[in-house]
Amino acid sequence: MCTISWLLSSSSYHVFFNRDEQRARPFAIPPCIKVENEIQAIMPIDPKGSGTWCAVNEYGFTFALLNFYQGRLPKGRLISRGKLVRACAGFDSIDKALVYLRSQHHAKIAPYSLLCFSPSSQKNRSGQSPSNPIVRMIRWDGKSLTDTEEVGQEGPLMSSSVNYEQVFASRLNVYQEIIGSKTNSKSQLSDFFRFHASHVPKRSAQSICMHRDEAHTVSFSHVEVGLSEINYSYANGAPCKTPVENLATLKRIQCR
């Protein structure tokens, strides 16, 4: 289970990510600067698989992965999906990252949804500069790899291994109540922080800040990509009770 939402504007974008995990899983290493393919990136590290679920690089590209439990799970020993995210952070464009993903042997990779955020200065496929950042979703469903460009303002995206339809409907209702139909220019950051710490309708498997006997929300990430600076803030615990701290900053490099 995880929940991701985003806030876009012409000059910046924000990504908000609740990571939900089994209580027995070891805590992740908090976000720090790593070098992938000679490119600096900020990411937390999962000590179990040495990968990550959310990474932003110095060019302003963010890659965030959720499990896609509705896909077909391959048999046998699997390759860590988190390593794909870490590798994608080593590219200075989404298209290059997609070329890399397509080159991987997905028959041994569990299904996933990978959201890819491009800053507003990046040109789209038609060569025109968009007024807002671009959001693309790469999905592996266990059978095929698909690429959906310009997901745009739609959100949030969620994953759940338990009662997905019920959980999705409940969390979407909370999103509509807190974020609603506001345009992103009018949305406040506090609304998104409140959404990700929410226990509506109650502290449970359905709440965005999730609490189950065997699993719970273990961290909250906030990535901010501006015109000249990138910040990664993090709560190393459930956002309902853990303070969010800015742990790493990068100067943003403009893509040619």
Side-chain angles (χ1 to χ4, degrees):
M1 285 185 162
C2 291
T3 301
I4 184 172
S5 65
W6 53 92
L7 172 64
L8 311 178
S9 73
S10 59
S11 60
S12 66
Y13 72 81
H14 300 258
V15 177
F16 311 88
F17 197 123
N18 276 22
R19 184 189 185 215
D20 303 339
E21 280 293 350
Q22 297 291 317
R23 293 183 183 273
R25 195 179 184 104
F27 275 93
I29 300 169
C32 56
I33 297 175
K34 299 288 185 180
V35 177
E36 301 292 333
N37 195 27
E38 300 183 350
I39 292 176
Q40 291 192 97
I42 308 172
M43 65 188 78
I45 300 295
D46 178 6
K48 186 174 180 179
S50 300
T52 188
W53 61 96
C54 185
V56 57
N57 68 24
E58 59 189 328
Y59 289 93
F61 295 97
T62 300
F63 302 90
L65 182 142
L66 295 88
N67 298 342
F68 184 59
Y69 293 105
Q70 289 66 47
R72 184 178 67 180
L73 186 67
K75 296 180 180 179
R77 188 172 182 178
L78 302 178
I79 299 171
S80 170
R81 290 167 286 196
K83 290 183 178 179
L84 297 179
V85 183
R86 189 166 178 172
C88 284
F91 295 99
D92 61 3
S93 78
I94 301 299
D95 286 329
K96 290 179 182 178
L98 183 55
V99 169
Y100 160 78
L101 288 172
R102 285 175 172 159
S103 72
Q104 300 305 295
H105 185 55
H106 274 71
K108 290 298 181 182
I109 299 174
Y112 63 80
S113 300
L114 179 65
L115 283 177
C116 310
F117 297 84
S118 299
S120 57
S121 61
Q122 181 71 10
K123 293 182 179 180
N124 59 23
R125 289 176 181 172
S126 63
Q128 300 298 315
S129 294
S131 58
N132 282 322
I134 291 175
V135 187
R136 288 167 69 173
M137 183 173 70
I138 314 301
R139 174 167 285 168
W140 166 243
D141 63 4
K143 297 179 181 179
S144 60
L145 195 68
T146 58
D147 173 17
T148 303
E149 187 174 1
E150 299 193 40
V151 176
Q153 305 287 345
E154 297 180 5
L157 186 66
M158 309 161 201
S159 68
S160 177
S161 61
V162 178
N163 299 325
Y164 173 75
E165 297 296 336
Q166 183 179 0
V167 170
F168 177 83
S170 176
R171 294 183 181 184
L172 186 60
N173 284 338
V174 178
Y175 180 86
Q176 293 298 334
E177 290 176 6
I178 296 177
I179 309 299
S181 58
K182 301 175 184 177
T183 60
N184 278 341
S185 61
K186 294 181 180 179
S187 296
Q188 300 295 317
L189 288 177
S190 59
D191 291 334
F192 286 85
F193 282 96
R194 186 158 61 95
F195 169 70
H196 281 269
S198 170
H199 289 153
V200 177
K202 63 180 181 179
R203 179 185 168 109
S204 66
Q206 293 187 25
S207 56
I208 289 86
C209 185
M210 190 272 288
H211 300 270
R212 295 201 323 249
D213 290 341
E214 77 284 4
H216 61 148
T217 299
V218 297
S219 68
F220 167 74
S221 294
H222 171 216
V223 174
E224 179 184 8
V225 176
L227 290 175
S228 60
E229 190 174 85
I230 298 160
N231 290 289
Y232 200 125
S233 299
Y234 190 72
N236 194 17
C240 62
K241 59 182 180 181
T242 309
V244 180
E245 300 178 273
N246 183 15
L247 296 186
T249 299
L250 284 173
K251 289 185 178 179
R252 183 179 152 196
I253 299 175
Q254 297 294 327
C255 294
R256 293 187 179 129

